Each structure stands twice: as C-alpha cells, then as structure tokens.
Amino acid sequence: MSEMEFKQKMVSQIGGGIAKRVAYAFDAEYPDTDGSFAIKFKENDLNNFEANVSAHTVTAEKREEALAEIYECYTKAITFVPKLPLNMTALNLRYETNKETETVTLKREELSKVSSLAAMKELFKHSLKTVNPR
C-alpha cells in the first residue's frame, strides 16, 4: 500500500467516524427536523468538509414540501456548523425524487444568498439536475 493509499484509507475511516458523530449531534440538537444533514471530508483533509442538506420525496409533486424541509434543515445547519471545530468549505442543498436529483452548491461565502425560502426556491430554479439511476 502506497503512502497516498494509506492516507486515503485513514481519512476515510476517521472521517467516516467523525461524520457519524456530527450527524448524531445534529439530530440530538434538532430532533424534530425534517430533511437530513451530513458532512463529508474532501481531498484527504480532516480539517475541511462539505456539508449536505437534503430531502427526498417519491414524486415531483411533493417538491414544494421537500424544498421547505431543506430550508428548515438549512437554517438549523448554518447555526450548528460554527459549533464544529472544523472548516466547512461548501454546503450542498439537494432535493431527490425517484426520477431526478436537483443540487445547489453554495461556497461558505455564498450562504447569505439563502435568506428566505423564496430565495432558496429561486436558486433551485437554476439548479443542476441529474437523472437518478434508481
């Protein structure tokens, strides 16, 4: 095993454990939150992470409700993240149905773009859409 492979494996294992603890702490602090919050370490660095806020619905007809869940979870996540002794580099807002996924990625300095549910919906109008392979 090369040094790079070893480092990747260590970051994956340690980062996975930290990510689970962060998700557990978020759920404990905000037990009634719809949507989900998770973090993932990128580029073999345990100091910097990307956060993910997402909601899943079976059909696109429930999109408005899912976006409201994402916004609610987002507002809680942006108050929770500063409590972490880590640096968030980006926040991914994700809405999924059984047919497609929409994603909006905000860099840390862009978080103020989502000041209301209406502002978030506007960002999703221009979101990246992908077809789910489910």
Side-chain angles (χ1 to χ4, degrees):
M1 181 181 295
S2 72
E3 183 178 334
M4 181 57 92
E5 290 170 328
F6 178 74
K7 186 175 181 180
Q8 287 174 335
K9 186 173 183 175
M10 292 302 296
V11 168
S12 175
Q13 289 177 345
I14 295 168
I18 293 169
K20 285 179 186 176
R21 285 190 207 147
V22 168
Y24 177 78
F26 182 83
D27 290 344
E29 189 161 333
Y30 304 106
D32 297 329
T33 302
D34 292 326
S36 67
F37 173 77
I39 69 169
K40 182 173 185 170
F41 294 94
K42 304 292 264 182
E43 300 174 12
N44 298 328
D45 182 358
L46 288 174
N47 294 313
N48 297 300
F49 68 91
E50 283 191 9
N52 298 299
V53 171
S54 62
H56 175 82
T57 64
V58 176
T59 65
E61 289 78 25
K62 301 229 181 209
R63 181 178 189 271
E64 292 296 314
E65 291 145 19
L67 292 178
E69 287 177 12
I70 292 169
Y71 182 72
E72 175 196 7
C73 191
Y74 165 82
T75 60
K76 293 173 180 173
I78 60 171
T79 60
F80 179 77
V81 166
K83 298 174 186 178
L84 300 174
L86 304 165
N87 181 39
M88 181 180 72
T89 58
L91 178 70
N92 302 303
L93 305 173
R94 182 173 309 187
Y95 157 74
E96 299 176 50
T97 70
N98 59 341
K99 295 187 179 185
E100 68 182 12
T101 299
E102 290 183 70
T103 304
V104 172
T105 298
L106 301 169
K107 295 194 182 311
R108 185 181 187 127
E109 60 273 8
E110 297 175 316
L111 293 178
S112 63
K113 285 184 175 181
V114 183
S115 57
S116 67
L117 178 57
M120 190 189 74
K121 286 180 179 181
E122 186 62 31
L123 287 174
F124 268 91
K125 284 182 181 178
H126 309 287
S127 68
L128 175 65
K129 290 186 181 183
T130 57
V131 174
N132 287 336
R134 296 181 229 180

